[in-house]
Amino acid sequence: MALPAQLKKPSSRWAQLKRELYRNRHYYILMSPYMILFFLFTVIPVVLSFLLSFFYFNMLEFPRFIGWDNYSRLFLNDDVFLIALKNTLLFAVITGPISYIACFIFAWIINELSPKIRAIMTLVFYAPSISGNVFFIWLIVFSGDSYGYLNGFLMRLGIILEPIQWLQNEDYVLTIVIIVQLWMSLGTSFLAFIAGLQNIDQTLIEAGSVDGIKNRWQELWYITLPSMRPQLMFGAVMQITQAFAVAEISIALAGFPSVNYAAHTVVTHLIDYGTIRFEMGYASAIATVLFLLMVGTNKLTQKLLRKVGE
Amino acid sequence: MFRMQRRLNRSLTVSILLFLVLGLFGAFMSLPLIYTVNNAFKPLDEIFIFPPRFFVVNPTLDNFYDLVILMGNSWVPFSRYIANTLLITIVGTAGHIIFASAAAYPLAKYRFPGSRTLFSIVVLSLMFSPHVTAVPNYMVMSWLGWIDTHASLIVPALAWSLGLFLMKQFMEQIPDAILEAAKIDGASEYRIFWQIVMPNVKPAWLTLMILQFPALWGSDGGNFIYSENLKTLNYALGQISQGGIARAGVGAAVALIIMSVPITLFVISQSSVIQTMATSGLKD
């Protein structure tokens, strides 16, 4: 007679879930168009590529299962990958926090301007990331002959006598890529911060000044930052993605591959194996490592952000 | 210059210092913009002058005339490229804003089975490199039979992870009281979403529009579109400007045109963000 009791429990749990699903049906309906397409075009390809990282796949033959070989090759036998990893980490540690903070500070100052000037300044700061491949101008600035703006300028001042091969020199190239990346990076999070600042309830600020907030720094810490927490989270994720995924700028400025791999990043390594050598399994393993790095950083950042305004 | 209600607790010295910093960096940021504009109006001899000049000395419209002539000679009517690009950009952007917002609203405001998991998957997907998913994406696309159709560009754009993430973060700020009041008045979830949530997050979807429009506008068909008469404006202009030294001037004009469309859109939507803020109902 114990049987019915055993059967009853899971069935009631199932019934409860069914009731719950039915009660929330409107939410699922609202989400379904997006989620169906999202799974089809994002989740499935990501999962496929993760699975592919355990295979040898050159796009011609059928994938051959090789277990962890791609990963062990990556860390034990691929010196270039280690250079790329070092560069990427260096890159992320420098450009990530700087551009995140810069995005916020500029958005915050701009928000205090009158609407017209604010619109112009927003455009000025956002333009580099909106206008496609304008970073080609940096090729002219850092051009290695005396045609280059920087060489011409320094030679006229008498600081250097001969043009410097900025982009062919291991000592400079990574720094230059970092500077240009910083210049380009006031994009998504910057806009989100501006919109977020405009969403802040002005009565909160007035109430704060009644409650004894003395200067703009206190206002920033106790009112502005906590009310913007959702945007700050958004910005952090965007900056992490950007900082770890540097490739285009490195390729455009330093060439592909760069001199002695001085500006090689994990993504350029990935492009090398994915689109030139067609070792898709290996490229997928690189992507998975990069993905895990980003997720780890993201977890850490979110922990830090929860402390804002305390 | 400063808005009245924000004048509380301000010291003038710090203000001046902050605006100096802003101005200085602003000048640095705007250099390439100014350069691109100047370059488009340079006659050919000024483009190749030594030492290179930043500003144009004798501005000319020749580059634009040449561009018009080249466009007139192209094999596929030029209006076709423009129509293709407009279709992709407008349907892609508008559809994405609606789909992403509809999905973001329940995720931002309610807890139900699967809600947290779905949102985490969206955030995680932001961190996967698109270079690797290119091949699986192609496989999915050819399985659907969408290779060489505009759907291959439009439909994936409708479910960009960034948009859902952005909208969800903004919708969290909507006070629950407004939604509850609407529910007591008998509004359905769909009506609440369309008539209360959407108008209240206008800055967010304008931001999203500003973000996605240039991405689609700059699309050249990628790996999915091969037919000449399905190609986009960006592709056509790219072909024109890749004509070597003789077309360097045309290239500069093309760069200015490609850049000016997202910027114009940005300026228009910026001003309406400001208007919305004046009448925002986002108060508890």
Side-chain angles (χ1 to χ4, degrees):
Chain A
M1 271 288 131
L3 203 63
Q6 262 178 352
L7 268 178
K8 204 178 163 192
K9 211 176 167 191
S11 85
S12 83
R13 198 178 290 160
W14 175 238
Q16 201 184 340
L17 182 68
K18 239 166 97 177
R19 256 203 317 278
E20 187 82 339
L21 289 176
Y22 182 75
R23 200 165 56 82
N24 294 312
R25 66 193 178 282
H26 298 300
Y27 305 141
Y28 294 109
I29 295 171
L30 275 171
M31 291 197 310
S32 55
Y34 180 93
M35 286 300 167
I36 290 168
L37 298 179
F38 174 70
F39 271 79
L40 197 54
F41 295 110
T42 306
V43 177
I44 292 176
V46 167
V47 171
L48 276 178
S49 115
F50 173 71
L51 293 176
L52 219 51
S53 75
F54 297 101
F55 286 83
Y56 174 83
F57 181 39
N58 58 9
M59 308 231 297
L60 298 171
E61 302 161 60
F62 195 77
R64 177 159 49 84
F65 184 75
I66 54 168
W68 292 94
D69 277 14
N70 282 328
Y71 292 94
S72 62
R73 177 178 160 205
L74 199 55
F75 285 101
L76 302 175
N77 294 326
D78 192 344
D79 293 340
V80 178
F81 175 70
L82 296 180
I83 297 174
L85 195 62
K86 188 201 83 196
N87 285 340
T88 305
L89 289 177
L90 198 67
F91 227 104
V93 169
I94 297 172
T95 64
I98 291 182
S99 91
Y100 183 64
I101 293 167
C103 279
F104 183 79
I105 290 179
F106 288 129
W108 181 61
I109 305 176
I110 284 172
N111 195 49
E112 302 212 351
L113 301 169
S114 67
K116 270 202 185 117
I117 302 174
R118 179 169 64 208
I120 296 169
M121 290 314 285
T122 313
L123 174 64
V124 164
F125 279 87
Y126 184 56
S129 47
I130 206 180
S131 34
N133 48 0
V134 281
F135 53 79
F136 73 88
I137 191 201
W138 295 100
L139 283 175
I140 309 168
V141 172
F142 291 111
S143 162
D145 46 31
S146 42
Y147 281 92
Y149 287 125
L150 187 63
N151 276 331
F153 181 70
L154 290 176
M155 281 162 80
R156 205 164 53 199
L157 289 180
I159 294 173
I160 56 170
L161 296 175
E162 277 179 2
I164 295 177
Q165 296 270 339
W166 297 106
L167 299 170
Q168 264 71 54
N169 191 320
E170 279 180 61
D171 300 333
Y172 301 121
V173 70
L174 191 63
T175 318
I176 292 172
V177 176
I178 287 176
I179 291 171
V180 176
Q181 168 71 19
L182 278 174
W183 172 80
M184 292 270 297
S185 66
L186 293 179
T188 323
S189 358
F190 175 68
L191 276 192
F193 289 165
I194 292 221
L197 281 163
Q198 292 178 12
N199 253 356
I200 290 179
D201 192 345
Q202 289 300 324
T203 53
L204 267 183
I205 291 169
E206 279 153 34
S209 76
V210 174
D211 286 346
I213 280 181
K214 288 187 199 69
N215 53 44
R216 77 179 82 205
W217 311 110
Q218 287 185 344
E219 181 189 305
L220 179 68
W221 185 252
Y222 291 110
I223 296 172
T224 314
L225 285 175
S227 349
M228 278 183 63
R229 203 173 275 139
Q231 282 84 21
L232 291 177
M233 290 277 189
F234 174 80
V237 174
M238 290 330 295
Q239 292 299 336
I240 291 167
T241 327
Q242 263 180 23
F244 278 99
V246 179
E248 258 189 31
I249 296 176
S250 164
I251 291 172
L253 292 174
F256 185 57
S258 45
V259 183
N260 252 337
Y261 298 107
H264 205 59
T265 65
V266 174
V267 178
T268 57
H269 203 55
L270 177 90
I271 294 172
D272 188 4
Y273 280 92
T275 60
I276 296 173
R277 304 182 202 212
F278 290 115
E279 290 195 32
M280 294 317 294
Y282 196 59
S284 300
I286 298 173
T288 309
V289 170
L290 183 69
F291 174 68
L292 294 176
L293 258 179
M294 286 192 198
V295 173
T297 318
N298 185 37
K299 287 265 180 290
L300 197 75
T301 316
Q302 300 219 342
K303 240 180 214 162
L304 288 175
L305 277 178
R306 284 204 193 99
K307 296 207 167 81
V308 159
E310 272 172 8
Chain B
M1 186 156 165
F2 312 105
R3 279 182 296 154
M4 286 309 285
Q5 74 267 41
R6 301 217 64 187
R7 246 183 176 165
L8 309 158
N9 323 317
R10 288 288 175 272
S11 96
L12 191 66
T13 346
V14 181
S15 290
I16 291 172
L17 215 74
L18 286 179
F19 295 135
L20 266 179
V21 170
L22 188 72
L24 220 70
F25 276 95
F28 176 66
M29 298 295 284
S30 58
L31 282 178
L33 265 183
I34 299 169
Y35 177 82
T36 314
V37 174
N38 272 289
N39 222 21
F41 293 101
K42 279 179 189 168
L44 209 53
D45 56 323
E46 265 187 65
I47 289 179
F48 294 107
I49 204 167
F50 176 80
R53 280 204 204 116
F54 195 82
F55 292 104
V56 56
V57 183
N58 301 308
T60 163
L61 283 174
D62 285 357
N63 296 332
F64 294 93
Y65 288 133
D66 291 348
L67 179 62
V68 171
I69 292 165
L70 278 168
M71 287 191 308
N73 291 337
S74 75
W75 181 44
V76 173
F78 207 73
S79 52
R80 177 66 66 79
Y81 294 121
I82 296 176
N84 288 341
T85 306
L86 284 178
L87 176 80
I88 292 167
T89 317
I90 292 172
V91 177
T93 310
H96 175 62
I97 289 173
I98 294 170
F99 278 24
S101 311
Y105 161 58
L107 291 177
K109 280 293 161 196
Y110 306 101
R111 289 274 160 271
F112 49 90
S115 64
R116 276 167 187 272
T117 321
L118 283 174
F119 183 63
S120 326
I121 294 175
V122 172
V123 176
L124 284 178
S125 76
L126 280 170
M127 295 178 212
F128 210 88
S129 175
H131 296 284
V132 167
T133 51
V135 173
N137 251 326
Y138 190 91
M139 281 150 58
V140 171
M141 218 50 100
S142 72
W143 174 69
L144 287 167
W146 284 357
I147 300 295
D148 223 12
T149 64
H150 283 145
S152 65
L153 291 181
I154 295 172
V155 180
L158 299 179
W160 212 25
S161 0
L162 184 82
L164 185 131
F165 186 26
L166 182 85
M167 296 308 296
K168 191 234 171 200
Q169 297 300 77
F170 270 87
M171 286 175 180
E172 276 180 356
Q173 287 173 324
I174 297 175
D176 290 333
I178 297 182
L179 305 179
E180 277 156 26
K183 238 173 253 172
I184 289 165
D185 289 347
S188 70
E189 288 295 344
Y190 310 99
R191 205 165 150 194
I192 293 176
F193 163 68
W194 194 248
Q195 295 191 337
I196 293 168
V197 175
M198 282 305 268
N200 266 319
V201 290
K202 200 173 171 192
W205 54 260
L206 283 169
T207 307
L208 189 52
M209 183 175 85
I210 294 167
L211 289 175
Q212 202 186 19
F213 186 93
L216 286 170
W217 176 258
S219 151
D220 55 6
N223 300 319
F224 299 133
I225 289 189
Y226 301 100
S227 309
E228 195 63 31
N229 59 0
L230 293 174
K231 288 274 187 187
T232 63
L233 184 66
N234 202 36
Y235 167 84
L237 291 176
Q239 292 291 306
I240 288 173
S241 64
Q242 275 164 16
I245 290 173
R247 289 200 190 155
V250 178
V254 165
L256 181 64
I257 290 174
I258 291 183
M259 190 175 88
S260 61
V261 173
I263 285 182
T264 313
L265 179 89
F266 179 70
V267 171
I268 296 167
S269 49
Q270 263 284 297
S271 57
S272 62
V273 169
I274 289 155
Q275 275 170 15
T276 338
M277 291 331 293
T279 54
S280 166
L282 270 188
K283 283 192 178 157
D284 243 326

